[in-house]
Amino acid sequence: MSSEVFKDATRMSGGRASDEAIVAMEGVYKRFKDFEALKNINFQVGKQEVVVVIGPSGSGKSTLIRCINRLEEHDDGRIIVDGTELTTDVRNIQEIRKETGMVFQSFNLFPHLTVLANIALAPRQVRGMPKSEAEALARELLERVKIPEQADKFPAQLSGGQQQRVAIARSLAMKPKVMLFDEPTSALDPEMINEVLDAIKQLAQEGMTMVVVTHEMGFAKEVADRVVFMADGEIVEVGTPSEIFDNPKEERTQKFLAQIL
Amino acid sequence: MSSLPSAPAKVPIWRDVRVLRWLFQIAVLAVVGLIIYWIWGNYQTNIERSSVQTDLRFLDNPASFTIPGNDFDQSSPVRAAFVQGFLNTIQVALVGIFFATILGTIVGIARLSKNLVVKTIAAAYVEVIRNLPLLLLLTFMNLAVVLQTFPRIEDAWKPLDLFVISNRGLAIPWFEGSAGQLSLLVLAGIVLAVIVVRLERARADKVGRPSRALLLGTLALAIVPVVGWITLGYTWTLPFVDGRGTSGGLRLDPSFFALIVALVVYTSSHIAEIVRGSILAVPRGQGEAADALALSNSQKMRIIILPQAFRVAMPALGNQYLNLIKNSSLGATISYFELTQIAQITVGNGSPAVPAFTLTLLVYLAISLFTSLFVNYFNRRLALVER
Amino acid sequence: MTVVFGYVGLWVIWTVIEFVFVTGRWEIIQVNLKLLLVGRFPDELMWLVGASLTALAFWVAAVAGGSKIDLNNVQTIPQRLFDYTRRFGLIVALAALLIFLAADIAALLLAFQVLGGVIVGRLVGLARRKVSVLGAIPSIIWHPMLGSPAIALVLVTLMESTLEEWGGFLINFYMAIISIVLCFPLGVLLALGRRSSFPIIRLVTTTYIELIRGAPLFVLLLLAGVALEFFIPPSIAPDAIFRGVTVFTLFTAAYLAEIVRGGLQSIPKGQTEAGKALGLSTTKITYLITMPQALRNVIPAQIGQFISLFKDTTLAGAALNILDVLNVGTAITKQQDFLGQGLIYEALAFVALLFWVGSYVMSRESQRLEKRLGVGVR
């Protein structure tokens, strides 16, 4: 899909496409050895937009958002985050990583540091914040995700849901412009999924721009401004939640939704 | 139109990730290169000052020493002595690995026995030996056992009238005849045994009866050498005391004996731990499944547990074998003429030390490499095919 | 079966007891105790040895006491004491034996001094956990800081006495400790190099590691005995202990590199990815996130390597003619008073005891740590 068509579709479906896209991907390709993980991706995220990406496993959803903060290197096309283009320039990569926050499926908290140290690490090391200020910020963020009492514990002592919320707080500590979520609840036991989804919803309400890869359709319906369906490395269909879930146009979308809903 | 600039900005070289990577590599290499250059410079300066030989010409000089237990001629070149030393090392390695594996496996399984006495003795053996330095064991075997405890030849022990044990060595019954021929016969026996086992298994599968492959294979393995023995006229000879030594049979040099016993005992304690660990590493469910299928205890061990344990143990076992080979160099401390001792003697006789010891080192490296490749090959063949 | 093995076992135990208490003639050990333990170390400098031992004990106790591994371990005081007796009883027994053999009040005082060092060290370590001001000091500064008295004392000992005066168990112990401390930086660098994505660095480090690992330590020592002086500037004349320590350091570094590499490999990739996503540079990720975890995870294997090194110091005695405890042990049986009396058993038994107790206790501690670490790591 060319970028013009993409934007028109977005505008027609009432999405908040603006001329200041926080994330813009144009003609992006990504190959792993002989396998094309991403094909001709044209994708934009506007300010304060919540975009949810759904699709079968192997469709390239994770690869898409991992390209945004350079955890994967795209082979063709261009990616621009908040005005900075993602190239092999170390300064650009560094800038973009400072402005994006990522929450992983397996939390990836640092087990040898306390919860507080986990959150305070990046502001101190990357933004040069003094220790007391960083720790105050960390406590504030822990309050925001509703687990202030866990500050001096180690990640191994927390439940999965609590760990993921600490991971969210850790990413927020860098005050990013856009948050990327890579299947944040897929590794959680069912009873803990909601506490994490609530935290993410709260962030959305507070106006954070985010791209969320998930299987939680209820969450998508509730919070997404736009839903993107991917399959086989391509963006197949884009629309509002009601458009995609109630009225899917493409056959692949219909098949996928029939399987999971 | 959104904020896509018309063309990507050019990436300045000094900030390009790819360039920086290569620069870093080159910097590290430069540092390493400087260090090597400095060392080389020192080497050159020192060599000039001391006029020491640094090439391998010494290998052609006559050895001027004899090797006990061998017909090595004093006037043979040094290189022949090295070959002899190498062969001795291989000999120690093969004999040592063989016995250490057997003893280690027995002790390892014994440690898992349900019999409390057996289990405790095996555990004590492992815990005592494992924590002692090998050199200590070797010194003990040499000074305490062989030189001190073993009697003089006049009062030699003669257990079962088959062996003669004295401080001149351990004499065992041996055959008279060509060892090379016998080895070929044994090899032929192995080949025949493999063929027989394959045929028997195929037959048993077709007919549906339990295969007698093990029995028939062992018979085949034994028959060829035995027939060869009889037809070629080999005989057993028993050792007996003859003046200041022994005649008949095969007398194991006391240093060889001490070295082998020390190496076997030491390495077997490590192998016992590996075997024990590998059996314990087989998931409990495997044994339970075997029980559920009504396999007998011996079938369970033979078909299910031990093969899997062996697969786990193989890399660690290979490592122990390498260690044994390297540890054989300690034979030099008790004057057993393996490779390191040969090197030391030739250096004592005037060969230049640096090339001699470097050559020795390279030979050990070659042996290690070869053994590693061997073990890796086995590892790969044993590896489970995974998704 | 039981009868046979039981009989054999009892016979062995009986022989040993008979040897130790009845037939063994232990004067050879009593007379030569100083020689066995410290060689010909000058008497007036013996206090340095005692002080260094105490400082070392302090350091180890402080590091152990401050570790955050046993967070969930709540033991009552009597339980604690019982635990300590079980773990270190053998060392205490050995120390008692040595004091008894020395029959010298100074030895008893030294034992108490070392015990004092251990207790103070443990308290300091605990203080670091409880007092936040101390806890704020980063580990990379705290641990060396605690070790500085020990390091200083060892350096003073090196400077004040000539290395010829060193001997006995002192040599084995010090060579092992000095080598393991020195080999650390090199080992870590080699491990990083081996895992590097830069082909040339990888090749160089792998070659070094594989060369060392394929070579017998004994032959390397022999080579260093004759060849080391060629590779260093002519002004420095290497003596035997210097050669030994150099070889041990280079040797152990290669093995340590493999251990650390294993540790690094076991760290999930997600850790580095999380670091990158937060904007941390690769260097910072390595020394803030991956290295601390890797090193902690392989502490048991590191202890195993140290035990190996400790036992291998006997090889230096054989290859470089250093008077280590094993060499002294065999030498004293040739003394005039003891020649030809078959006292080699007593001598070797004593040396064996020293190594065995040290090695056994250390490997038990390492097993214990392994169990505890397994619980803490997620």
Side-chain angles (χ1 to χ4, degrees):
Chain A
M1 296 178 78
S2 81
S3 45
E4 285 295 348
V5 176
F6 186 87
K7 270 193 81 199
D8 287 338
T10 315
R11 202 175 273 131
M12 285 193 293
S13 56
R16 287 175 287 175
S18 61
D19 282 336
E20 330 152 20
I22 296 276
V23 177
M25 294 170 85
E26 186 185 77
V28 172
Y29 284 77
K30 168 75 191 159
R31 273 163 234 111
F32 286 113
K33 291 225 179 109
D34 39 337
F35 165 65
E36 266 202 318
L38 293 178
K39 299 177 201 157
N40 196 12
I41 299 291
N42 295 285
F43 175 72
Q44 288 187 16
V45 182
K47 209 152 170 220
Q48 301 197 328
E49 254 203 294
V50 175
V51 176
V52 173
V53 182
I54 60 173
S57 61
S59 56
K61 326 190 284 293
S62 286
T63 318
L64 181 96
I65 61 168
R66 285 161 64 95
C67 280
I68 297 179
N69 68 353
R70 201 72 171 176
L71 285 182
E72 305 287 352
E73 271 177 50
H74 60 284
D75 296 310
D76 262 318
R78 304 167 67 189
I79 302 182
I80 308 205
V81 178
D82 195 32
T84 316
E85 173 144 12
L86 194 55
T87 60
T88 53
D89 186 337
V90 279
R91 201 208 281 178
N92 285 13
I93 298 178
Q94 191 66 355
E95 272 307 309
I96 290 177
R97 283 186 177 161
K98 282 193 212 170
E99 300 304 329
T100 53
M102 182 171 249
V103 176
F104 298 85
Q105 182 176 342
S106 46
F107 333 140
N108 288 337
L109 291 181
F110 306 130
H112 61 302
L113 301 173
T114 59
V115 162
L116 200 70
N118 259 280
I119 303 176
L121 180 72
R124 288 179 66 194
Q125 296 290 339
V126 184
R127 291 209 197 271
M129 209 185 270
K131 184 169 173 196
S132 45
E133 207 182 308
E135 292 197 344
L137 172 64
R139 288 190 199 276
E140 202 186 296
L141 289 166
L142 280 173
E143 287 266 5
R144 237 168 110 181
V145 292
K146 302 200 177 60
I147 38 171
E149 71 282 358
Q150 307 290 351
D152 295 308
K153 297 232 181 105
F154 285 92
Q157 298 173 285
L158 271 58
S159 75
Q162 291 169 327
Q163 287 190 45
Q164 193 63 301
R165 283 187 278 160
V166 171
I168 295 176
R170 182 175 67 172
S171 312
L172 288 174
M174 289 293 282
K175 304 210 168 79
K177 296 251 170 48
V178 54
M179 288 277 282
L180 306 168
F181 293 85
D182 189 357
E183 302 204 32
T185 56
S186 297
L188 292 174
D189 289 335
E191 63 269 17
M192 292 190 267
I193 295 184
N194 280 329
E195 68 193 54
V196 174
L197 289 179
D198 285 341
I200 304 180
K201 282 182 212 167
Q202 190 189 323
L203 274 182
Q205 276 161 10
E206 290 165 2
M208 172 66 78
T209 318
M210 33 173 113
V211 182
V212 184
V213 172
T214 185
H215 293 299
E216 296 288 327
M217 301 302 159
F219 169 81
K221 279 192 208 169
E222 229 188 289
V223 180
D225 292 313
R226 257 187 303 148
V227 174
V228 171
F229 174 69
M230 277 187 76
D232 302 315
E234 300 177 302
I235 294 185
V236 174
E237 203 174 331
V238 185
T240 61
S242 54
E243 281 171 11
I244 296 288
F245 290 120
D246 302 328
N247 232 332
K249 293 197 204 78
E250 299 282 335
E251 193 192 316
R252 278 188 284 180
T253 324
Q254 293 165 357
K255 259 179 77 181
F256 174 71
L257 291 173
Q259 282 176 321
I260 59 158
L261 286 178
Chain B
M1 194 51 201
S2 59
S3 50
L4 279 163
S6 43
K10 190 158 185 304
V11 182
I13 299 232
W14 71 86
R15 292 203 312 248
D16 192 328
V17 157
R18 299 164 301 188
V19 172
L20 288 175
R21 277 205 191 126
W22 277 99
L23 276 177
F24 181 67
Q25 261 194 98
I26 295 176
V28 170
L29 273 173
V31 171
V32 173
L34 273 169
I35 296 178
I36 295 181
Y37 180 73
W38 177 72
I39 292 179
W40 183 251
N42 288 333
Y43 184 68
Q44 298 289 69
T45 332
N46 288 314
I47 290 295
E48 272 168 30
R49 279 159 152 246
S50 57
S51 67
V52 154
Q53 226 184 47
T54 51
D55 52 35
L56 295 172
R57 283 174 302 175
F58 72 96
L59 285 174
D60 297 320
N61 298 347
S64 341
F65 61 89
T66 52
I67 300 177
N70 211 294
D71 317 309
F72 188 72
D73 189 342
Q74 278 204 36
S75 57
S76 317
V78 167
R79 108 183 36 241
F82 267 91
V83 171
Q84 227 7 77
F86 173 74
L87 290 174
N88 280 345
T89 300
I90 301 289
Q91 197 178 33
V92 169
L94 290 173
V95 175
I97 288 178
F98 180 72
F99 284 110
T101 313
I102 295 182
L103 182 59
T105 313
I106 295 178
V107 176
I109 297 183
R111 251 196 110 159
L112 294 167
S113 159
K114 293 200 187 73
N115 186 323
L116 192 62
V117 174
V118 170
K119 188 199 261 204
T120 321
I121 292 189
Y125 174 85
V126 171
E127 284 306 317
V128 168
I129 303 290
R130 221 162 51 118
N131 289 303
L132 293 174
L134 175 59
L135 190 57
L136 184 81
L137 284 171
L138 188 57
T139 314
F140 176 74
M141 276 306 300
N142 189 39
L143 294 179
V145 176
V146 174
L147 292 180
Q148 197 76 30
T149 315
F150 280 7
R152 299 222 301 272
I153 191 75
E154 298 91 60
D155 316 307
W157 297 335
K158 303 193 187 89
L160 300 177
D161 270 341
L162 287 175
F163 304 97
V164 177
I165 303 181
S166 71
N167 61 8
R168 290 188 164 272
L170 166 73
I172 60 177
W174 201 243
F175 56 85
E176 192 160 309
S178 156
Q181 269 187 334
L182 196 62
S183 320
L184 280 173
L185 285 173
V186 171
L187 227 68
I190 294 179
V191 169
L192 184 64
V194 168
I195 297 176
V196 165
V197 163
R198 286 248 169 97
L199 286 175
E200 167 63 13
R201 283 216 178 122
R203 185 201 71 88
D205 278 343
K206 248 203 284 195
V207 173
R209 291 245 190 84
S211 90
R212 295 187 295 252
L214 205 62
L215 180 64
L216 291 175
T218 322
L219 270 172
L221 178 61
I223 270 199
V224 176
V226 168
V227 166
W229 180 285
I230 298 174
T231 49
L232 292 172
Y234 283 38
T235 50
W236 276 117
T237 55
L238 294 178
F240 57 92
V241 178
D242 183 6
R244 302 238 70 216
T246 60
S247 291
L250 177 72
R251 182 157 60 89
L252 298 173
D253 187 49
S255 322
F256 178 75
F257 177 69
L259 181 63
I260 288 286
V261 172
L263 279 175
V264 166
V265 167
Y266 183 76
T267 315
S268 69
S269 71
H270 289 272
I271 291 184
E273 278 302 273
I274 292 173
V275 167
R276 183 177 80 113
S278 70
I279 293 183
L280 287 176
V282 178
R284 200 147 175 260
Q286 296 289 310
E288 293 175 350
D291 287 335
L293 287 168
L295 291 175
S296 78
N297 231 354
S298 106
Q299 279 173 324
K300 177 167 76 165
M301 273 306 235
R302 223 175 1 108
I303 305 175
I304 307 290
I305 308 268
L306 284 179
Q308 293 191 58
F310 189 63
R311 191 176 286 124
V312 172
M314 192 70 229
L317 271 180
N319 208 23
Q320 284 306 314
Y321 294 158
L322 274 173
N323 281 347
L324 188 142
I325 297 176
K326 288 188 282 176
N327 285 337
S328 71
S329 60
L330 291 183
T333 62
I334 58 171
S335 305
Y336 176 66
F337 278 74
E338 44 73 58
L339 187 60
T340 318
Q341 172 72 339
I342 298 274
Q344 271 196 306
I345 298 274
T346 62
V347 169
N349 273 356
S351 298
V354 176
F357 286 132
T358 314
L359 179 66
T360 316
L361 202 65
L362 288 173
V363 174
Y364 275 110
L365 279 171
I367 301 178
S368 291
L369 195 68
F370 185 71
T371 316
S372 293
L373 285 172
F374 201 62
V375 170
N376 278 344
Y377 169 71
F378 261 109
N379 261 340
R380 256 176 297 147
R381 282 208 48 189
L382 286 178
L384 282 169
V385 179
E386 283 189 0
R387 204 153 54 101
Chain C
M1 178 73 96
T2 319
V3 175
V4 171
F5 276 100
Y7 185 72
V8 169
L10 284 171
W11 178 80
V12 169
I13 296 178
W14 172 248
T15 323
V16 170
I17 294 184
E18 199 188 20
F19 173 66
V20 171
F21 292 106
V22 181
T23 55
R25 287 154 57 209
W26 299 101
E27 308 86 61
I28 184 174
I29 304 295
Q30 258 179 313
V31 166
N32 290 300
L33 192 63
K34 176 164 184 262
L35 207 62
L36 279 163
L37 290 179
V38 294
R40 291 199 196 85
F41 204 75
D43 277 327
E44 63 276 14
L45 292 174
M46 277 298 284
W47 67 270
L48 268 174
V49 176
S52 328
L53 257 179
T54 317
L56 268 167
F58 167 78
W59 192 11
V60 172
V63 170
S67 79
K68 300 195 184 93
I69 296 176
D70 279 348
L71 278 177
N72 300 323
N73 190 13
V74 200
Q75 276 177 327
T76 62
I77 304 279
Q79 273 181 322
R80 275 258 166 101
L81 281 172
F82 180 68
D83 191 41
Y84 288 150
T85 323
R86 212 161 37 121
R87 283 160 67 188
F88 304 114
L90 274 170
I91 295 198
V92 173
L94 180 64
L97 174 68
L98 290 175
I99 298 174
F100 170 69
L101 285 172
D104 186 351
I105 195 81
L108 188 62
L109 287 173
L110 176 63
F112 279 114
Q113 188 183 316
V114 172
L115 185 63
V118 169
I119 296 179
V120 172
R122 178 131 187 124
L123 289 173
V124 169
L126 274 172
R128 179 155 188 251
R129 260 201 270 164
K130 309 278 169 139
V131 179
S132 57
V133 173
L134 294 175
I137 307 174
S139 290
I140 200 157
I141 299 186
W142 173 256
H143 290 146
M145 193 173 78
L146 287 178
S148 49
I151 299 176
L153 280 165
V154 171
L155 285 172
V156 170
T157 319
L158 278 167
M159 288 190 293
E160 288 292 315
S161 63
T162 59
L163 286 171
E164 281 98 56
E165 291 166 328
W166 285 36
F169 198 60
L170 183 74
I171 285 193
N172 298 87
F173 190 65
Y174 270 66
M175 279 182 90
I177 294 216
I178 296 176
S179 301
I180 199 98
V181 168
L182 286 178
C183 85
F184 222 84
L186 182 59
V188 167
L189 283 175
L190 284 171
L192 287 173
R194 186 128 196 242
R195 276 173 43 96
S196 160
S197 44
F198 308 142
I200 311 184
I201 296 184
R202 206 184 185 132
L203 183 68
V204 169
T205 47
T206 310
T207 317
Y208 175 83
I209 293 175
E210 291 305 317
L211 273 176
I212 299 275
R213 283 172 55 118
L217 179 57
F218 188 59
V219 179
L220 285 172
L221 284 167
L222 286 173
L223 188 56
V226 295
L228 193 61
E229 56 261 41
F230 291 126
F231 296 105
I232 53 180
S235 45
I236 308 179
D239 79 318
I241 295 194
F242 177 83
R243 294 176 206 255
V245 171
T246 311
V247 172
F248 285 136
T249 306
L250 293 174
F251 185 78
T252 314
Y255 285 78
L256 189 73
E258 284 298 277
I259 294 175
V260 171
R261 181 174 81 111
L264 286 171
Q265 268 175 339
S266 71
I267 306 287
K269 212 159 169 255
Q271 291 288 303
T272 26
E273 288 186 349
K276 281 192 210 169
L278 287 170
L280 291 166
S281 68
T282 335
T283 337
K284 290 217 169 133
I285 294 180
T286 309
Y287 85 77
L288 285 173
I289 297 172
T290 11
M291 262 306 174
Q293 291 185 57
L295 289 177
R296 218 188 76 148
N297 288 352
V298 298
I299 290 180
Q302 287 179 52
I303 296 183
Q305 192 59 42
F306 178 70
I307 296 175
S308 279
L309 177 62
F310 175 56
K311 293 189 293 172
D312 284 339
T313 52
T314 48
L315 294 180
L320 302 167
N321 267 322
I322 295 177
L323 267 178
D324 81 310
V325 69
L326 184 59
N327 260 349
V328 173
T330 48
I332 58 178
T333 58
K334 302 198 184 95
Q335 285 174 335
Q336 264 212 319
D337 294 330
F338 301 111
L339 184 58
Q341 296 173 30
L343 286 169
I344 187 73
Y345 297 95
E346 283 83 348
L348 286 181
F350 181 73
V351 175
L353 184 68
L354 288 176
F355 276 106
W356 191 84
V357 169
S359 181
Y360 184 67
V361 172
M362 279 196 281
S363 75
R364 270 253 296 254
E365 281 300 296
S366 146
Q367 281 166 7
R368 187 173 169 276
L369 260 174
E370 212 168 339
K371 260 188 257 170
R372 302 268 169 146
L373 277 174
V375 173
V377 164
R378 175 71 81 92

